[in-house]
Amino acid sequence: MDPFYLIFGTLIPSLISLIAIPLLPEKNKSAGAFILVFLTALISSIPAIQVLCFHHIVEAEVFLNYPIGTVLLRIDPLSAWFILIINLTCLCGSFYGIGYMSSYKDQKNNITLHWIMYVILHTALIWVCMVQNGLAFLLVWEIMSISCLLLIIFEHQKSETLRAGLIYLVQMHMGVALLSVGFIWVYIAEGSFDFAAIGTYFSHNSPIILFLIFFIGFGFKAGFLPLHTWLPHAHPASPSHISGIMSGVIVKMGIYGILRIITYLDSEWLRIGIAMLILSLLTSFYGILNAAVHRDYKKMLAFCTIENIGIIGMGIGLGLIGKGTGNDYLFYLGFSAALLHTLNHSLYKALLFFTAGNIYQQTHTRNMEQLGGLIKVMPVTAIAFLCGSLAIGGLPPFNGFISEFLIYTGLLDGMKSPNVELNVLMILSIAVLAIVGGISMLTFTKSFGTIFLGSPRKSFDHPPKEVSVIMQIPIGIMIGIMLLIGIFPNYLLLIIQPVVQVFNSAYLPSPALAVLDPTLMMVGRISFLLIVLVALLYFIRSRRTKATEVIYGPTWGCAYIVPNPRMQYTGKSFTKTLAKMFSVFTDEKKEYRELQDTDVFPTTETHYISHYNEFFETRIIDPLDKRLLRLMNYFSFIHNGRTQMYILYGLLFILVFIAATFLNLI
C-alpha cells in the first residue's frame, strides 16, 4: 500500500478539525466532527478489511530523527480487528453526540474543543494499533490519553468532574511510566525500539518479569483488578457518548496492548495463562459485585466494564493455557472468545451508555432511586436498555451469549486435561463465571425495574420525553449488529480465524472451526426462531388488542387506598442482601441523625443518606495517598517563595554539574 495513503489519509481529518471545527457555525460543529470521523473511519477501514479478507499485511515506514529512527506502521489481522471495532464505535458515538451535545449549545468554546479532541482521539486510537516502534507508540498513546482526558472533563466547572479527570490522568501516567520502563528495557537488551525486538528478547530470556511490567502498564488502561479505580470516576463524569467510547474502545486499547505483547511470547504460556485466568476471575466477580449494589446507573455500568474486561481476560488466559498444554481446540476457543467478546462488549456497553445518556438528558440525575416509570414516556430508550441488559447478561438471541458460550465450551474442554490442578481451576472458573452471570442478571433486573417500571419517584421541572431520532439511530444500528452476531456467529468466527493465527502462525483454526461450526449454526437458528416467535406473539397481541379499549387503574393494594411512590421496591432493597453477604468488599457508609429517647413524636426533620465505598480506593489507595502527602510535607520548606533561595538552588545545581563533569574526565 502507498505509505502516503496510510499515513496522511488518517492524519488529514485531524489536521482539518483544528481549522474547520472552530470556523463552523455552532449548530454544525457536531455534524462537521461526524463527517471527519467518518472520513478517518473510511480511510482506515479499507486496508483493515483487506487484511482480514485477503490475509496480507499492510505496511508503511516513516523516517524520523534520532532517537526514534524508522517507525514501521503495520496493519496485521490483530490491528485490523481492533481498527474496525474502533471505527464502528467511534462512528456511532459521534453520530449520537450530535443529538446529545445539543443540550450544551450555550457552551460554545467547550463544544469546539470537545469535537476537536474527539477527532484527534479517533485518529490516535487507530495509530496505536498501527505503530510498531516503542517511542512512537508511547507518543500516540499519550495523545490518546490526553485527548481522552479533555473529553472527560467537558463539564470542568464541577469539582467531581475535575477530580475524576485527575484520577484518570495520574493512573494513566503510572501506566505510561511502566510501559516506558518496558520499552527501555528491551532497547538496552536488544538495541532497538522496534516491537520485533520484544520477540527477540523473549526468545533468549525468561519473559515473566518483562511481561508483568507490560501487563501492569496496559492493565491500567484496561481496568484489571486492582488497576481499575479510575473507571468508576471517569465514566459518570464524562458525557455519555464519551463514556460509551471509553468503555467500548479506550479500555480495549489495554487489551490490544496485552494481546500484542502475547504475540511475541516464546515460552511460559501455561504459567502466564493460569495467572491471567485467576486474575480475570477475580476482576470479573469484583466488578459485577460492585455493579449490583451501586445506584448511580453510570457508575454501575462502569463496574460492569470491569466485569467484562475480566471475561475477556478469561478468554486470553484459556488461549494461553491451550497453547501451553498443546490443546489446539482450547487455544482457538480462548482467543476467539476474547476477540469476539471485545467486539460484543464494545457494542452493548456503548448502547447501554447511550441509553443512560438519554435518561440523563431528560432527567438530569444519575440516581436510579429518583426515577421510575420511564417506560411510559421513553419506550424506545427502555427497549434499547432492555436489549443491552439481555446482551450483557449473556442471554440469547443477542451477541453476548455467543462469546460467553465459547468461554464455557473452552472451560469444559480444559477439564479433559490430565493435570488435576488444572481441572480444579477449570471447575472453579465455571462456577465463578456462572455466579457472575447470575449477579449480572440481578444487576440489570434491578436497574431496569427501578428506572423504567413502577411509578415516577420524583416530579421533574421538565417532564421526561423520548429523545430525538438522531440519538435513536445509532442505538438501532447497534441493536441490529448485535442480533446479526447472535444469529450468524459462525460467519464472524471465519473472519476471526486470521486474527487467532497471529498468536501462533503454525496453527490452522479450520479443524477447530469445523468442530464448532454445527453447534454455532444451531445456536444461530434457535436465536432466529426466538426472534420470530417474539415478533409473532407481539403481532398477534397487537391485532387482538387493537380494537379493545385500554383502561388504566390503580394497582390493587389489598384494600389500602393511599399508596405513594415511596412504597415501591428500591434499587438498594433489591440488592441489600447481596451487599451484606459480601460486606467486606461492599462497604456501606450511612449518614443520618439518630432519634433521641425524648423524640417520641419527632418534630425536627431528619435525613438518611447511604452509599457504597470502593474497596481498593478507600482501603488501599487513600491510605497510601495520605502517607505520601505526609512524607512530602517534610520537604515543603524547599518551596518557600524566596527568590534568593531559588537562585541558590540554581547555583548549587551548576556546581554539582561541573563537579560531576570534572570527576567523569578524571
Side-chain angles (χ1 to χ4, degrees):
M1 170 171 285
D2 185 358
F4 178 86
Y5 172 86
L6 189 60
I7 298 167
F8 294 99
T10 54
L11 288 178
I12 286 174
S14 291
L15 298 175
I16 292 174
S17 71
L18 296 172
I19 302 171
I21 292 179
L23 297 177
L24 286 172
E26 299 303 322
K27 61 181 181 180
N28 295 332
K29 291 184 185 295
S30 300
F34 170 75
I35 292 171
L36 293 172
V37 170
F38 177 80
L39 289 174
T40 307
L42 180 64
I43 292 168
S44 57
S45 293
I46 292 172
I49 293 171
Q50 289 176 344
V51 168
L52 290 178
C53 293
F54 302 109
H55 305 172
H56 69 271
I57 295 174
V58 175
E59 291 185 348
E61 288 186 348
V62 183
F63 297 98
L64 300 176
N65 292 328
Y66 178 83
I68 297 179
T70 301
V71 177
L72 178 65
L73 302 180
R74 178 190 293 124
I75 300 181
D76 63 356
L78 181 61
S79 300
W81 180 255
F82 277 87
I83 286 173
L84 292 176
I85 293 173
I86 290 166
N87 288 338
L88 175 61
T89 311
C90 288
L91 266 176
C92 290
S94 61
F95 197 88
Y96 175 85
I98 295 174
Y100 185 83
M101 297 303 289
S102 62
S103 57
Y104 296 95
K105 56 187 176 183
D106 56 322
Q107 301 184 34
K108 298 179 181 179
N109 293 333
N110 263 4
I111 288 179
T112 299
L113 179 62
H114 177 84
W115 286 118
I116 291 173
M117 289 299 108
Y118 191 98
V119 177
I120 292 174
L121 173 64
H122 181 213
T123 302
L125 287 166
I126 293 170
W127 273 67
V128 164
C129 297
M130 295 193 302
V131 169
Q132 302 292 309
N133 177 283
L135 288 182
F137 180 86
L138 291 173
L139 177 62
V140 294
W141 187 269
E142 274 291 84
I143 294 172
M144 174 186 68
S145 297
I146 298 300
S147 56
C148 182
L149 168 68
L150 295 174
L151 291 169
I152 291 171
I153 60 172
F154 175 78
E155 296 185 277
H156 52 80
Q157 66 275 13
K158 298 179 180 179
S159 58
E160 64 270 21
T161 300
L162 287 177
R163 181 172 182 268
L166 182 61
I167 292 172
Y168 166 84
L169 184 65
V170 169
Q171 296 198 22
M172 290 307 100
H173 279 82
M174 290 172 67
V176 166
L178 285 166
L179 294 179
S180 301
V181 169
F183 287 121
I184 292 171
W185 185 327
V186 173
Y187 179 80
I188 292 172
E190 304 298 333
S192 174
F193 283 111
D194 194 89
F195 277 16
I198 300 173
T200 305
Y201 178 87
F202 284 158
S203 65
H204 54 263
N205 292 282
S206 173
I208 297 295
I209 298 177
L210 183 59
F211 180 83
L212 182 63
I213 291 171
F214 278 118
F215 180 84
I216 297 174
F218 287 119
F220 273 106
K221 184 72 74 178
F224 279 100
L225 203 72
L227 314 171
H228 65 283
T229 53
W230 66 272
L231 280 156
H233 295 281
H235 281 72
S238 310
S240 288
H241 61 295
I242 303 304
S243 299
I245 297 301
M246 276 199 296
S247 185
V249 293
I250 290 178
V251 297
K252 303 306 187 330
M253 291 299 96
I255 296 295
Y256 167 78
I258 292 169
L259 289 174
R260 178 59 69 190
I261 298 300
I262 286 174
T263 61
Y264 297 110
L265 278 178
D266 196 60
S267 60
E268 300 289 356
W269 300 295
L270 181 59
R271 188 182 301 181
I272 294 174
I274 290 173
M276 192 157 188
L277 179 58
I278 293 172
L279 176 63
S280 299
L281 290 169
L282 296 173
T283 299
S284 190
F285 179 75
Y286 182 82
I288 197 59
L289 180 63
N290 278 272
V293 301
H294 279 281
R295 287 154 282 167
D296 180 331
Y297 52 81
K298 288 190 73 176
K299 183 171 285 190
M300 177 270 293
L301 292 174
F303 277 108
C304 286
T305 297
I306 298 167
E307 173 226 348
N308 279 271
I309 289 297
I311 293 175
I312 294 171
M314 289 182 207
I316 298 173
L318 286 175
L320 287 169
I321 291 172
K323 189 172 182 179
T325 57
N327 187 336
D328 288 345
Y329 190 53
L330 181 59
F331 165 80
Y332 176 76
L333 287 171
F335 281 114
S336 295
L339 293 166
L340 183 56
H341 202 75
T342 300
L343 170 63
N344 289 342
H345 180 252
S346 295
L347 288 167
Y348 58 65
K349 185 49 69 67
L351 167 68
L352 287 167
F353 271 116
F354 293 170
T355 55
N358 294 355
I359 299 165
Y360 183 77
Q361 188 190 66
Q362 296 299 314
T363 63
H364 297 288
T365 179
R366 301 196 309 263
N367 186 356
M368 63 178 67
E369 305 287 40
Q370 297 180 357
L371 303 172
L374 288 183
I375 193 171
K376 299 171 185 175
V377 292
M378 302 178 70
V380 175
T381 298
I383 292 171
F385 190 93
L386 180 61
C387 291
S389 302
L390 293 172
I392 201 170
L395 297 176
F398 293 97
N399 56 341
F401 173 77
I402 304 300
S403 47
E404 293 196 23
F405 173 78
L406 293 178
I407 291 177
Y408 274 114
T409 305
L411 291 170
L412 290 171
D413 189 76
M415 290 170 57
K416 299 176 183 178
S417 170
N419 188 318
V420 177
E421 291 83 0
L422 202 57
N423 285 338
V424 171
L425 177 60
M426 295 297 168
I427 294 170
L428 289 175
S429 299
I430 291 172
V432 172
L433 188 56
I435 292 170
V436 166
I439 298 177
S440 177
M441 287 187 279
L442 172 71
T443 300
F444 283 92
T445 302
K446 173 201 78 171
S447 302
F448 184 83
T450 307
I451 294 171
F452 293 104
L453 303 182
S455 302
R457 293 174 172 82
K458 177 183 176 181
S459 58
F460 298 97
D461 296 334
H462 301 283
K465 60 181 181 180
E466 192 55 82
V467 296
S468 61
V469 175
I470 202 167
M471 296 171 69
Q472 297 177 26
I473 290 174
I475 289 174
I477 291 172
M478 287 185 159
I479 292 174
I481 297 173
M482 288 159 53
L483 288 173
L484 286 175
I485 295 173
I487 297 171
F488 305 107
N490 45 330
Y491 294 105
L492 196 61
L493 285 184
L494 281 173
I495 299 173
I496 290 178
Q497 282 196 68
V499 189
V500 175
Q501 282 185 289
V502 171
F503 303 100
N504 186 357
S505 58
Y507 174 66
L508 297 175
S510 299
L513 186 59
V515 174
L516 197 60
D517 190 66
T519 305
L520 290 178
M521 191 173 292
M522 183 184 299
V523 169
R525 289 172 179 172
I526 293 172
S527 296
F528 179 73
L529 289 175
L530 179 60
I531 295 170
V532 172
L533 179 62
V534 171
L536 182 62
L537 291 174
Y538 179 79
F539 175 76
I540 294 172
R541 180 185 179 278
S542 300
R543 295 283 294 180
R544 290 184 62 86
T545 59
K546 188 175 182 180
T548 305
E549 183 181 359
V550 179
I551 301 174
Y552 291 96
T555 304
W556 183 55
C558 302
Y560 187 77
I561 59 173
V562 286
N564 64 75
R566 295 183 63 189
M567 297 172 64
Q568 298 178 95
Y569 220 60
T570 64
K572 179 183 176 182
S573 57
F574 207 98
T575 54
K576 180 70 175 178
T577 304
L578 180 70
K580 283 186 173 181
M581 188 182 302
F582 297 98
S583 57
V584 174
F585 301 108
T586 54
D587 182 27
E588 184 181 12
K589 292 298 180 184
K590 304 175 183 178
E591 299 176 14
Y592 59 93
R593 186 185 71 84
E594 291 192 15
L595 297 176
Q596 304 299 319
D597 294 338
T598 56
D599 293 338
V600 180
F601 299 101
T603 56
T604 57
E605 184 177 348
T606 188
H607 70 277
Y608 179 91
I609 301 172
S610 71
H611 66 276
Y612 290 96
N613 288 328
E614 208 280 320
F615 175 82
F616 285 93
E617 184 175 355
T618 55
R619 300 287 182 87
I620 299 175
I621 296 176
D622 286 349
L624 286 175
D625 283 346
K626 291 178 181 178
R627 288 185 174 88
L628 182 62
L629 183 60
R630 192 178 301 119
L631 176 64
M632 292 296 103
N633 284 337
Y634 288 116
F635 301 94
S636 60
F637 68 91
I638 297 174
H639 303 283
N640 49 38
R642 298 178 182 176
T643 306
Q644 298 92 330
M645 294 300 297
Y646 295 151
I647 294 172
L648 181 60
Y649 297 156
L651 290 174
L652 288 174
F653 173 78
I654 292 171
L655 291 174
V656 170
F657 186 77
I658 293 172
T661 305
F662 178 75
L663 291 173
N664 187 47
L665 290 174
I666 293 176

